[in-house]
Amino acid sequence: MISRISRTLLLIQIGLAALFALLFRHFDWPLAVAAISGIVLVLLIRAQITANSFFLTWPYRGRTANPVELTWLQMARLFAREFRATMLCSSWAMPFLRFDQFTFPDTTSPPVLLIHGYGCNSGYWRWMSLALRSAHITHYALDMEPVFGSIDGYAPLVDAAVRRVQAETGQQRIVIVAHSMGGLAARAYLRDHGTTHVAKLITLGSPHHGTSIANFGIGINCGEMNWLGRYEEGRSSEWLQKLAATEEADDLAAIVSIYSHHDNIVSPQSSAHLAGARNIALAGVGHVAMALEPSVQQLVIDEIHAAQRQSAP
């Protein structure tokens, strides 16, 4: 479904660029100038959408432990890389690059299950997949639907995917790598099934205590991962509170939460810090860009290799 939605939105953007170009041609602009101007206007609209996410979450900055302030140049780089990631994922990867699995019979690393976040599909993992392929790590990807359904409804999908990876690889325990809402779906799976089949859960930019920007979204899942109130005086949604109340310490200890002090979707950014888990805080990385950053990809690969060493007799 997300592939169809993404392709439709891409066609709408192409149509808008064409309409702008026709408008400019009406004023006798040269064809090439009119066409380029139409494309630039659409890109500016997309840039404004990305900028708006930073404006909505910027008041929460610096409320993480050991806050890291950015220079203006670093902020510009943060925005540029997040805008690039958003354009690549929404206009190329998610519409056209969904994938199911890449297996390597000669690998010595545990197999990996990739779980995307809200409004995405397996195409989001395109660049993480390339890094995992270079490292000869077998990995599978899961598409979670319905798009706007309950996060509880995703837990059985995760369970089925875990069992499939086990059956096809012959491995008893796997590693889950989950982005954003996918981390909550994976936690819901651990709540129901524990860590019997999961050696490690690595979450990237997951709103473990909710995010205020979910209040602007649609769907049952948005209601389940929202943050109610302003700044640190707010509270997690009822669903998140129930999830936290039913989690076992051993399950939390199997989680590695990688997050950014400057996430433009998770707000407050400290929401991604999960007590009982191992937390790795980064600076200057946007939300969508998380899985596209080579440094984050290397962190994930290192954690996968560490899971192999920890499981070794």
Side-chain angles (χ1 to χ4, degrees), residues 231-259:
Y231 312 133
E232 70 270 21
E233 292 82 15
R235 67 184 189 280
S236 301
S237 69
E238 182 180 351
W239 185 87
L240 283 168
Q241 291 180 47
K242 287 181 177 178
L243 174 65
T246 56
E247 288 179 302
E248 300 289 340
D250 288 346
D251 298 339
L252 290 170
I255 300 174
V256 177
S257 177
I258 301 174
Y259 66 94

Side-chain angles (χ1 to χ4, degrees), residues 46-264:
R46 290 294 307 273
Q48 177 56 41
I49 294 172
T50 299
N52 192 50
S53 68
F54 282 100
F55 292 142
L56 290 172
T57 58
W58 197 250
Y60 296 91
R61 74 193 188 283
R63 297 177 187 272
T64 51
N66 303 314
V68 178
E69 294 295 333
L70 301 180
T71 65
W72 285 105
L73 182 60
Q74 290 171 324
M75 284 189 282
R77 183 178 182 272
L78 165 64
F79 173 79
R81 295 182 76 85
E82 179 69 2
F83 176 57
R84 169 183 172 271
T86 300
M87 291 297 299
L88 285 172
C89 289
S90 64
S91 299
W92 175 238
M94 291 194 299
F96 306 114
L97 298 179
R98 287 174 61 195
F99 69 93
D100 181 57
Q101 67 181 95
F102 289 95
T103 57
F104 299 92
D106 61 337
T107 186
T108 57
S109 300
V112 173
L113 174 63
L114 302 170
I115 306 177
H116 63 76
Y118 176 80
C120 296
N121 62 18
S122 56
Y124 169 75
W125 294 109
R126 164 70 176 181
W127 290 270
M128 180 67 76
S129 175
L130 292 174
L132 294 176
R133 280 182 257 173
S134 295
H136 270 228
I137 295 175
T138 291
H139 55 284
Y140 290 67
L142 169 66
D143 283 326
M144 295 192 297
E145 293 190 359
V147 177
F148 305 119
S150 170
I151 299 173
D152 281 323
Y154 300 141
L157 299 179
V158 176
D159 180 45
V162 169
R163 293 181 183 278
R164 178 196 172 197
V165 175
Q166 287 180 298
E168 294 186 6
T169 64
Q171 298 295 315
Q172 291 304 306
R173 304 186 80 201
I174 74 166
V175 172
I176 295 177
V177 179
H179 179 248
S180 195
M181 183 193 71
L184 304 182
R187 283 175 62 195
Y189 163 82
L190 293 182
R191 173 201 63 197
D192 296 341
H193 301 279
T195 57
T196 303
H197 306 304
V198 176
K200 183 178 291 187
L201 164 60
I202 305 167
T203 66
L204 305 178
S206 288
H208 290 301
H209 303 287
T211 173
S212 63
I213 211 167
N215 292 288
F216 299 95
I218 59 174
I220 299 172
N221 41 17
C222 271
E224 292 172 341
M225 60 178 171
N226 61 6
W227 173 265
L228 308 170
R230 291 179 60 80
Y231 312 133
E232 70 270 21
E233 292 82 15
R235 67 184 189 280
S236 301
S237 69
E238 182 180 351
W239 185 87
L240 283 168
Q241 291 180 47
K242 287 181 177 178
L243 174 65
T246 56
E247 288 179 302
E248 300 289 340
D250 288 346
D251 298 339
L252 290 170
I255 300 174
V256 177
S257 177
I258 301 174
Y259 66 94
S260 174
H261 288 289
H262 305 100
D263 196 303
N264 54 305

